[in-house]
Structures are given as structure tokens and as C-alpha cells.
Amino acid sequence: MDEAYKANGIIHCRVAGVYFHIPFCQSRCLYCDFFSTTSLSLRTAYVNALKKEMHLRSTECQNIRTVYFGGGTPSLLSGDEIGSLLKELDLSQATEITVEANPGDITPQWLERLQQAGVNRLSIGIQSFHDSLLHLIGRRHNAQQARQAVKMAQQAGFNNISIDLIYGLPSQTLQQWENEVEEALKLDIQHLSCYCLTYEEGTPLTKMLNQGQIPSTDDDIANAMYDNLSERLAKTGFEHYEVSNFAKKGCHSQHNSAYWNQTPYVGFGAGAHSYDGNRTRRANISDLNEYISSPGGKRTYLTETLSDTDFYNERIMLGLRTAYGIDVSSLTPLGLRCAQKYIEEGKLCIDGSRIVATQEGLHLLNRIIEDLFE
Ligand code: SF4
């Protein structure tokens, strides 16, 4: 395990992260309920608004260790636009700067500009290597573009590349999923994020499911896909360090690890969230026009103060999602009794002073987490 990541037997993240939300997409994927728009005409105004918000909140951006451009589709910004945002920050202590990218947007010129700007990690939204499945979920790239995107990034010198895959897709078989994982491994990447498809309310895919146009995936098949993934990646030297995330040694996502470890982060942009590492959260308004008209203005964000219960529950929820779990001593007596029951059932286990989810427990993690809540 990366020693910078783990110290004294507990998760130790030395990261203060900055997040940029880039809420533009060329088209909407059928399963997605994230906040984004296909009106690309507002892009320049949005980048300028981001800079205004950064200036207003410059005192919050100290000791930056990681930067993450997420979305939406950050690869719809030019390399110069991304570079101009990074220029506004003191990145002298930054060790990880990630940009999420759609395979169809990646070009050698864009990659070169990103590297000049200091970007050292890419997260490529591949989702599947089967064209029929990509088409079914409304992605705008194909499998060949996905493979080429990774190769192009490697040729440009990126040696910290993550890809996203989705399992449990309509009509996807276990054999197809095994092939997806093998294809991913052939690409010699350092990090893999795999998510089970969820049918979010109001999305076109959910409508198709409700109207009987697509079959739902059986839970047992989705669990078998997940187990296959964990076993296969473990054999190939990937650490399963978070419920949906796998990394080669030293290649954990430092930025996301900070979220899971309740470390402070600052989020810029419409719909972005910030956290002070203690009791205060801030959520920027998910309205592009409002945000652009007054970035960082009082009417464009809400703050929330976490109660003791919120803070406790959040620690359980985030900790149990990771391979490092939660400290036994952090549980209330009631929480400990509940954890004991799951330990007896083989769904949680004790690792030193910590409680972690077993592979079986990961299948019903949300229920276990809720049961442990105060
Ligand atoms: S999945 Fe990503 S690219 Fe697709 S609509 Fe959602 S944010 Fe945009």
C-alpha cells in the first residue's frame, strides 16, 4: 500500500483538494442524472465565472495537494481553458491533477497542452468495450475510440490513467462483463473505477425499463460480475481500496481518497460542493445562468452545518466503503452491537483495530451502513 496514503494503521490523507465542476455535455447519456447542460455556448462565460469565484475564495485554497476536473465533460474545455484555470492556483505542493475525459474528445494536441499545464492524471469514461452496449446507454464514443484514447494518452506520456466501466447493463451477460475486464487489463492502466448501473428517477433509461423496452439486470448476476471483477483484478496486482475503485500500487486516487477521509476540499462551479473537514459543507447552486451571473455570490450557494449525528454517520458511510474500514473505537455501543451481528454473519470482519466489509458484505453495503447509523 502507498505509505503516503496510509500511516499508523489508519487512512491518512495529506490532501487538500480543489474540484472544478464542468457542467457541459455534448449529448446526454440515457442513464445519467448529473447536473449538466448541452448548451455549449455558455462555456467561455462559465470559465470566466469560475475565475471570479476562485478570486473571491482565494483564502480557502491553501496547501493544494490535488486538483480534479469533473463533470459533465471536462474534455469539452480546451487545453488552454484548463491551463488558464490551473494558472490561478498555487500548485507548488500539488501531487495529483486529474481531468475526466470522454474518449471521443481526446487528441494528441489536447493531451500535450494538458501536460504543459501540469495535468498528470486522466480519468477516461469508457463505460464499455461493446459498441452495442455503448449505443444502448447513449454514449457518443465507440469501443475503438476508447482503446485509441488510452493509447494516445500513454504515447503522450501519461502514466497515471484511470478508466470507468459500468456493469449490470441491460442484457449484459457475465461473459460479456468478463471480456470487458480483460479488455481493460490489456490496456495496461493504473486505476479502474467500476460502477453498477443504477436506474435513477426521471432518466430515459429508467423510462425504457418501466415501459418494458429493456430488461433489468438480476441482482445475482450483478453480484457475480462484481465478484468476478474483484477476483480478476486482485490476481493482476490491483488493490481493491474502495468499493468501486481499484489501483496499482501507489496509484490510488489521492483526490477521491480525501473525500472518503473527510479531508477539506474546495469545489468551484455550478453544482460543486465544498467541505471544511469539520462541520461545514457548502453547495453551489445547480443553475448555470444564476451561477454565471454572480459566481460565489451569496445567493448562489447554501451552507449546511453538520450535527454530531451527521458527522458520525458520514464517517461510517465513507469509512466502510474503503478497504481500511472504520476504527472499532469510533462506534457507539449500539453501532458496535450491530457490527458484531454482521461480523458473525461474515459480512464485516476485524482487521487489527478496524472493522472492514468482506466481499460478501460489499454486496449489501448500503444496508449495513444504514444499520450502523446513529
Ligand atoms: S454520464 Fe457524463 S457525459 Fe454522460 S450525460 Fe452524464 S455527465 Fe454527461
Side-chain angles (χ1 to χ4, degrees):
M1 181 180 306
D2 184 1
E3 287 311 311
Y5 184 81
K6 188 182 180 198
N8 306 324
I10 59 160
I11 310 170
H12 176 74
C13 239
R14 55 189 170 74
V15 182
V18 169
Y19 175 79
F20 289 101
H21 190 65
I22 311 300
F24 299 102
C25 294
Q26 200 146 302
S27 56
R28 295 281 305 165
C29 305
L30 301 183
Y31 57 91
C32 178
D33 73 340
F34 288 178
F35 165 58
S36 75
T37 173
T38 50
S39 306
L40 306 186
S41 57
L42 291 173
R43 210 182 71 182
T44 306
Y46 186 72
V47 171
N48 290 334
L50 283 174
K51 288 179 190 165
K52 280 193 195 135
E53 190 190 0
M54 290 164 81
H55 286 151
L56 264 179
R57 303 176 65 194
S58 57
T59 52
E60 294 174 55
C61 293
Q62 310 292 325
N63 305 318
I64 298 168
R65 302 299 180 130
T66 65
V67 181
Y68 196 100
F69 288 83
T73 313
S75 52
L76 289 177
L77 294 191
S78 70
D80 282 344
E81 285 170 324
I82 290 173
S84 74
L85 290 166
L86 289 173
K87 232 186 192 158
E88 305 285 329
L89 298 169
D90 174 0
L91 296 174
S92 53
Q93 297 183 66
T95 52
E96 183 188 275
I97 302 175
T98 304
V99 175
E100 285 181 357
N102 187 304
D105 297 334
I106 294 179
T107 64
Q109 297 73 21
W110 185 75
L111 292 166
E112 190 185 341
R113 184 64 194 96
L114 249 49
Q115 283 203 315
Q116 288 162 356
V119 176
N120 59 9
R121 184 171 183 272
L122 288 179
S123 173
I124 306 178
I126 289 179
Q127 318 310 354
S128 172
F129 291 100
H130 286 87
D131 285 341
S132 58
L133 291 175
L134 286 169
H135 181 71
L136 181 67
I137 59 174
R139 296 294 305 197
R140 63 182 163 94
H141 65 273
N142 60 36
Q144 187 55 14
Q145 281 175 305
R147 291 184 206 100
Q148 274 167 358
V150 174
K151 285 209 178 90
M152 241 187 271
Q154 287 165 336
Q155 276 158 10
F158 280 92
N159 58 9
N160 195 357
I161 299 174
S162 178
I163 68 167
D164 285 2
L165 291 179
I166 303 180
Y167 64 94
L169 292 170
S171 76
Q172 188 180 34
T173 63
L174 185 55
Q175 183 61 53
Q176 265 178 328
W177 173 246
E178 287 176 13
N179 294 344
E180 303 274 20
V181 177
E182 293 308 319
E183 283 258 19
L185 289 174
K186 270 192 229 153
L187 292 175
D188 195 23
I189 44 162
Q190 289 70 38
H191 191 279
L192 195 58
S193 300
C194 296
Y195 304 97
C196 187
L197 178 71
T198 48
Y199 288 91
E200 305 295 346
E201 216 182 305
T203 62
L205 207 67
T206 302
K207 223 176 268 168
M208 287 161 74
L209 179 75
N210 293 339
Q211 290 172 354
Q213 293 170 21
I214 50 168
S216 63
T217 304
D218 187 86
D219 279 352
D220 290 342
I221 294 181
N223 284 339
M225 289 176 173
Y226 185 64
D227 290 344
N228 169 273
L229 170 77
S230 304
E231 280 165 29
R232 185 69 186 94
L233 291 189
K235 281 188 195 143
T236 326
F238 279 83
E239 188 188 352
H240 190 176
Y241 72 107
E242 198 265 352
V243 62
S244 306
N245 286 279
F246 302 79
K248 289 250 176 88
K249 188 172 166 56
C251 296
H252 304 88
S253 163
Q254 294 175 42
H255 185 84
N256 289 337
S257 298
Y259 293 150
W260 304 323
N261 194 27
Q262 294 180 296
T263 304
Y265 53 86
V266 179
F268 294 116
H273 289 237
S274 306
Y275 176 53
D276 71 349
N278 189 18
R279 301 299 167 113
T280 309
R281 284 194 180 292
R282 164 182 167 140
N284 283 2
I285 192 167
S286 293
D287 181 315
L288 207 54
N289 288 308
E290 285 261 356
Y291 175 79
I292 288 172
S293 68
S294 176
K298 281 222 159 52
R299 289 210 325 268
T300 60
Y301 67 90
L302 292 170
T303 53
E304 176 198 6
T305 305
L306 300 184
S307 65
D308 288 350
T309 302
D310 295 335
F311 192 73
Y312 173 86
N313 289 347
E314 200 143 301
R315 185 184 292 164
I316 303 276
M317 180 182 71
L318 296 170
L320 272 185
R321 290 179 63 87
T322 72
Y324 318 108
I326 46 173
D327 202 289
V328 176
S329 64
S330 67
L331 283 170
T332 60
L334 197 63
L336 199 54
R337 271 207 298 281
C338 183
Q340 195 61 44
K341 177 180 78 99
Y342 282 116
I343 290 168
E344 282 159 19
E345 291 174 6
K347 297 185 175 92
L348 295 176
C349 64
I350 300 271
D351 179 6
S353 63
R354 305 188 72 79
I355 295 179
V356 297
T358 61
Q359 183 70 21
E360 199 188 332
L362 290 174
H363 291 163
L364 43 135
L365 192 59
N366 289 344
R367 193 188 333 145
I368 296 176
I369 287 169
E370 271 179 36
D371 281 354
L372 261 60
F373 276 176
E374 202 171 44

